Amino acid sequence: MEWQNELTRLLKISYPIVQAPMLGVTTPAMVAAISNAGGLGSLPVGGLSPDQTISLIRQTKSLTSKPFAVNLFANQIPPVNPAQMEPMSHFLEKFCAKYHIEYTQPNLDSITLYSYQEQIAILLEEKIPVVSFTFGILTDDIIQELKEKETVLIGTATSLPEATLLEQKGINIIAAQGMEAGGHRGTFLDNSPLPLIGSFSLTPLLAENCKNPILAAGGIYDGKTIKAAFTLGAQGVQIGSAFIASNESAATTSYKQAIQNASVTDSVLTKTFSGRWARGIRNTFITEVENSNLPVPDYPWQITLTSAIRAFAQKQDNKEFNALWAGQSASKAQSKPAGEIFTHLIKEMEALP
Amino acid sequence: MEWQNELTRLLKISYPIVQAPMLGVTTPAMVAAISNAGGLGSLPVGGLSPDQTISLIRQTKSLTSKPFAVNLFANQIPPVNPAQMEPMSHFLEKFCAKYHIEYTQPNLDSITLYSYQEQIAILLEEKIPVVSFTFGILTDDIIQELKEKETVLIGTATSLPEATLLEQKGINIIAAQGMEAGGHRGTFLDNSPLPLIGSFSLTPLLAENCKNPILAAGGIYDGKTIKAAFTLGAQGVQIGSAFIASNESAATTSYKQAIQNASVTDSVLTKTFSGRWARGIRNTFITEVENSNLPVPDYPWQITLTSAIRAFAQKQDNKEFNALWAGQSASKAQSKPAGEIFTHLIKEMEALP
């Protein structure tokens, strides 16, 4: 079958399949495995320091000579809100004492938060061919700077107004994030209420109303779901959860098992881990923070408060205190090398009538 | 192309396309138009009196000799809860005074609520070939009685446990109601939290795990969405919103215009009209009942409290007080004869590569 289209030509890849950037799960080895197999790996560096960013990019480059994307969090950082931070921080201290979690309260005065703007010079220097982003839209200056270097830009939309704005700003490819998708919602315009549009409605809505190629995201895990996304008007698909249990994933064993064993009704949208809405599997942490009825500080402040808890949970391989991000079809994730999962997707798709 | 499959053979229809039952919107003329065009029309009679049920069935029969489905609400009726009814009723009285809506408070002692069990004898007598249902599952006795007369049964599921139970009970076809679907959620098992699974995840989940044919519902409006549902494993599709603006629809002009002009982000899930979760377009009624922060009495009690308001809104053609049920792709609804809309779907599907 003919895989080449406008999207593959823009991205200079063999198959229009993008591995979704999953911070905390995606490793340079996963990115390289997908790019080496002919797809587009995506290296998530959202919120990381310039040093970490360079290091991850260089590690990835040491494993592949194929194009890969680097993914940014294009959010603004709101001022800290002590009226929300103090009660939440106090609650988390008690929560950690209850469950014997080592917890050092972060010192708000000494926290360094990194903006994506500090990562742009690195991306330009490293000649990253594809830059994807979520949680917002890059500034006009940065878009121009990246485009002058012929960087292909992928923005994330959860509604038609977001897709339209991305297109107006010159973004080349729109990732249409259906409500089935795992992890953080990319919503950056009106989020009251949060747009929760199913892939089955969002993909054709954006494909019919946008000129640029659409990358469908949310609920895609095998040949038939890829084919259905193309039928709905997508030129490519972005697949995340199906790679969470792969050998190259940084997910802990208990996280991998949790998504493979979860029923889709265990999946919730929650702000409790980060301050932004995200889809994952309910656990003790989510339920107890919800039951506290405390307002959750805005992203990225809540994530700074919970990072020690997640680090502890990962070290202990305890799924009850870790963020188990997963899409609505995440139970289909397989414990195999990422490249093998990818190649199997291609074979399944080619075997379809 | 080959339209015949297990589902069309069971239902004795030419095309595996079912018009979704939409109480208050679907008319006998709409049902007949779809069945005459080779699909399956569905006549909604949920909660109606035996007399109304007979009358609607006879009207439909006078317009078509083809098979059509009759759709029941298979819910239990909970005892009235005065602690919820009284404050809500008082609030609605004030609401109606504010907006000059004629409102007669229903006398709870004299309200007659009809159960689906009173409609079964009529369906048997009228030899209805297909009975579909939602909000629950028919009793074992009724299932047996209907099956003895070779009635084909279609149940509605919003999760895998619901689909599995329907299949265990001998139901022939499972309507997989994705979260994109308009109108009432069919959820009848655990609804805390309410299962909100996108069609893109729900359709393949049920198709992979059920032996009986799956009818995909939610987000389907044209040839490519029908084809995508088949690719995901459905043997048929159920289409509602695309017929709301049809000539045969009982929807008011302002309702038809509202769904055609709505953005998908105007769509909300609300219990305010009926006491059951349903998807429709936000309006003044929904917002003010939400803002009252009053608990909403369970279905069907809330719907008895709001029926005078909806009747008034329909008479006045005022969309602010009417239930504007609509799915996430409802803006694609066209103002044409229902049979023409149906035939166009078939042509679009056949024209696809």
Side-chain angles (χ1 to χ4, degrees):
Chain A
M1 69 172 279
E2 185 46 75
W3 288 99
Q4 288 295 303
N5 61 22
E6 188 187 350
L7 184 131
T8 57
R9 283 188 288 271
L10 266 169
L11 297 174
K12 300 190 170 69
I13 54 180
S14 305
Y15 304 107
I17 300 179
V18 176
Q19 159 255 315
M22 300 176 281
L23 194 68
V25 168
T26 302
T27 58
M30 183 190 291
V31 176
I34 302 304
S35 287
N36 286 337
L40 186 76
S42 305
L43 181 70
V45 299
L48 302 187
S49 71
D51 281 354
Q52 286 173 296
T53 304
I54 294 181
S55 162
L56 288 168
I57 289 173
R58 301 238 168 118
Q59 281 178 59
T60 308
K61 281 185 173 176
S62 76
L63 299 170
T64 184
S65 56
K66 296 286 184 69
F68 63 89
V70 172
N71 181 261
L72 305 175
F73 290 166
N75 58 297
Q76 304 296 315
I77 298 174
V80 66
N81 180 345
Q84 293 187 341
M85 288 291 271
E86 278 159 22
M88 180 56 74
S89 165
H90 187 64
F91 168 81
L92 293 176
E93 224 172 4
K94 283 193 297 178
F95 175 85
C96 289
K98 178 176 170 187
Y99 290 109
H100 311 291
I101 299 169
E102 291 160 23
Y103 187 61
T104 330
Q105 205 157 347
N107 180 348
L108 296 183
D109 299 326
S110 68
I111 284 179
T112 311
L113 292 174
Y114 299 100
S115 156
Y116 73 92
Q117 310 207 12
E118 300 170 63
Q119 297 170 310
I120 300 298
I122 298 166
L123 306 187
L124 291 168
E125 247 179 56
E126 294 288 329
K127 299 186 170 54
I128 299 301
V130 184
V131 172
S132 65
F133 56 91
T134 185
F135 302 175
I137 180 158
L138 309 174
T139 65
D140 292 350
D141 286 355
I142 287 176
I143 291 173
Q144 199 187 326
E145 230 180 329
L146 289 166
K147 293 190 77 139
E148 274 168 13
K149 300 290 179 188
E150 296 182 1
T151 314
V152 178
L153 299 177
I154 305 177
T156 307
T158 62
S159 69
L160 182 54
E162 289 176 350
T164 305
L165 183 59
L166 289 169
E167 219 169 46
Q168 283 167 356
K169 294 283 190 182
I171 305 309
N172 307 93
I173 295 168
I174 316 291
Q177 191 190 26
M179 66 79 74
E180 293 90 343
H184 283 92
R185 304 294 306 152
T187 302
F188 62 95
L189 291 179
D190 190 12
N191 67 355
S192 165
L194 187 72
L196 286 175
I197 310 175
S199 287
F200 214 92
S201 285
L202 186 66
T203 308
L205 179 69
L206 300 198
E208 288 173 14
N209 289 284
C210 295
K211 288 186 306 290
N212 292 353
I214 300 299
L215 200 52
I220 296 161
Y221 64 88
D222 67 355
K224 69 176 178 297
T225 47
I226 296 173
K227 187 171 175 186
F230 288 160
T231 302
L232 293 175
Q235 283 206 22
V237 293
Q238 185 162 287
I239 300 182
S241 302
F243 295 114
I244 293 175
S246 69
N247 298 7
E248 291 84 351
S249 162
T252 61
T253 305
S254 63
Y255 177 3
K256 291 178 176 183
Q257 286 170 349
I259 67 161
Q260 290 174 320
N261 298 332
S263 139
V264 52
T265 44
D266 299 330
S267 165
V268 291
L269 282 162
T270 183
K271 286 173 90 163
T272 54
F273 276 108
S274 70
R276 274 192 78 94
W277 289 108
R279 179 177 296 286
I281 294 165
R282 178 176 288 287
N283 62 8
T284 304
F285 179 84
I286 294 173
T287 300
E288 294 215 9
V289 177
E290 281 177 2
N291 290 347
S292 78
N293 288 316
L294 291 172
V296 176
D298 286 337
Y299 181 88
W301 295 104
Q302 177 72 355
I303 209 168
T304 64
L305 292 183
T306 66
S307 69
I309 298 172
R310 287 176 291 114
F312 176 87
Q314 284 157 26
K315 216 170 69 186
Q316 304 280 317
D317 199 0
N318 186 328
K319 74 182 173 60
E320 293 306 322
F321 312 117
N322 192 7
L324 308 172
W325 301 142
Q328 287 193 328
S329 295
S331 68
K332 311 299 287 189
Q334 292 175 63
S335 306
K336 284 184 184 171
E340 215 171 279
I341 296 171
F342 185 92
T343 307
H344 188 67
L345 290 174
I346 302 297
K347 278 193 197 144
E348 276 188 336
M349 173 82 183
E350 291 188 331
L352 287 173
Chain B
M1 69 173 279
E2 186 46 76
W3 288 99
Q4 289 295 303
N5 59 22
E6 189 188 349
L7 183 131
T8 58
R9 284 187 289 271
L10 267 169
L11 297 173
K12 300 189 168 71
I13 54 179
S14 305
Y15 304 106
I17 300 180
V18 177
Q19 160 254 314
M22 299 175 282
L23 194 69
V25 168
T26 302
T27 58
M30 183 191 289
V31 176
I34 302 305
S35 286
N36 287 336
L40 186 77
S42 306
L43 181 70
V45 299
L48 302 186
S49 71
D51 281 355
Q52 286 173 297
T53 304
I54 294 180
S55 162
L56 288 167
I57 288 173
R58 301 238 168 116
Q59 282 177 60
T60 308
K61 282 186 173 175
S62 76
L63 299 169
T64 185
S65 56
K66 295 287 183 71
F68 61 90
V70 173
N71 181 261
L72 305 175
F73 290 166
N75 58 296
Q76 304 296 317
I77 298 174
V80 65
N81 179 345
Q84 293 187 341
M85 289 291 271
E86 278 158 24
M88 179 56 74
S89 166
H90 186 65
F91 168 81
L92 293 176
E93 225 172 4
K94 283 193 299 177
F95 175 86
C96 289
K98 177 176 169 188
Y99 290 109
H100 311 291
I101 299 169
E102 292 159 25
Y103 186 62
T104 333
Q105 204 156 345
N107 180 345
L108 295 184
D109 299 325
S110 68
I111 284 179
T112 312
L113 292 175
Y114 299 100
S115 156
Y116 74 92
Q117 309 209 13
E118 300 171 63
Q119 297 170 310
I120 300 297
I122 297 165
L123 305 188
L124 291 168
E125 247 179 57
E126 295 287 331
K127 298 187 170 52
I128 299 301
V130 184
V131 172
S132 64
F133 57 91
T134 185
F135 299 175
I137 180 157
L138 309 176
T139 65
D140 292 349
D141 287 354
I142 288 175
I143 291 173
Q144 200 188 327
E145 230 180 329
L146 289 165
K147 293 192 77 141
E148 274 168 14
K149 300 289 180 191
E150 293 181 5
T151 316
V152 178
L153 299 177
I154 306 177
T156 308
T158 63
S159 68
L160 181 55
E162 289 175 351
T164 304
L165 183 59
L166 289 169
E167 220 170 43
Q168 282 166 358
K169 295 283 190 183
I171 304 310
N172 307 93
I173 295 168
I174 316 292
Q177 191 189 29
M179 66 78 74
E180 293 89 344
H184 283 93
R185 305 294 306 153
T187 302
F188 62 95
L189 292 181
D190 190 13
N191 69 354
S192 166
L194 187 72
L196 286 174
I197 310 175
S199 287
F200 214 92
S201 284
L202 186 66
T203 309
L205 179 69
L206 300 199
E208 289 173 11
N209 289 285
C210 296
K211 287 185 307 287
N212 293 353
I214 300 300
L215 199 53
I220 296 161
Y221 64 87
D222 67 354
K224 68 175 178 295
T225 47
I226 296 173
K227 186 171 175 184
F230 288 161
T231 302
L232 292 176
Q235 282 205 22
V237 294
Q238 184 162 285
I239 302 182
S241 302
F243 296 114
I244 293 175
S246 70
N247 299 7
E248 291 84 352
S249 162
T252 62
T253 306
S254 63
Y255 177 3
K256 291 177 175 181
Q257 287 169 350
I259 67 160
Q260 290 174 320
N261 298 330
S263 139
V264 53
T265 43
D266 299 330
S267 167
V268 291
L269 281 163
T270 183
K271 286 174 90 161
T272 55
F273 276 107
S274 70
R276 272 192 78 94
W277 289 108
R279 178 176 295 287
I281 295 165
R282 179 176 288 286
N283 62 8
T284 304
F285 179 84
I286 294 173
T287 300
E288 293 215 9
V289 177
E290 282 177 0
N291 290 347
S292 78
N293 288 316
L294 290 173
V296 176
D298 285 337
Y299 181 88
W301 295 104
Q302 177 72 353
I303 207 167
T304 65
L305 292 183
T306 66
S307 69
I309 299 172
R310 287 176 293 116
F312 177 87
Q314 284 157 24
K315 217 170 69 186
Q316 304 281 316
D317 199 1
N318 186 329
K319 73 180 172 65
E320 294 306 322
F321 312 118
N322 193 5
L324 308 172
W325 302 142
Q328 287 193 327
S329 294
S331 68
K332 311 299 288 191
Q334 293 176 65
S335 306
K336 285 184 185 171
E340 216 172 279
I341 295 171
F342 185 92
T343 307
H344 188 67
L345 290 174
I346 303 295
K347 276 192 197 145
E348 276 188 336
M349 173 81 183
E350 291 187 331
L352 286 174

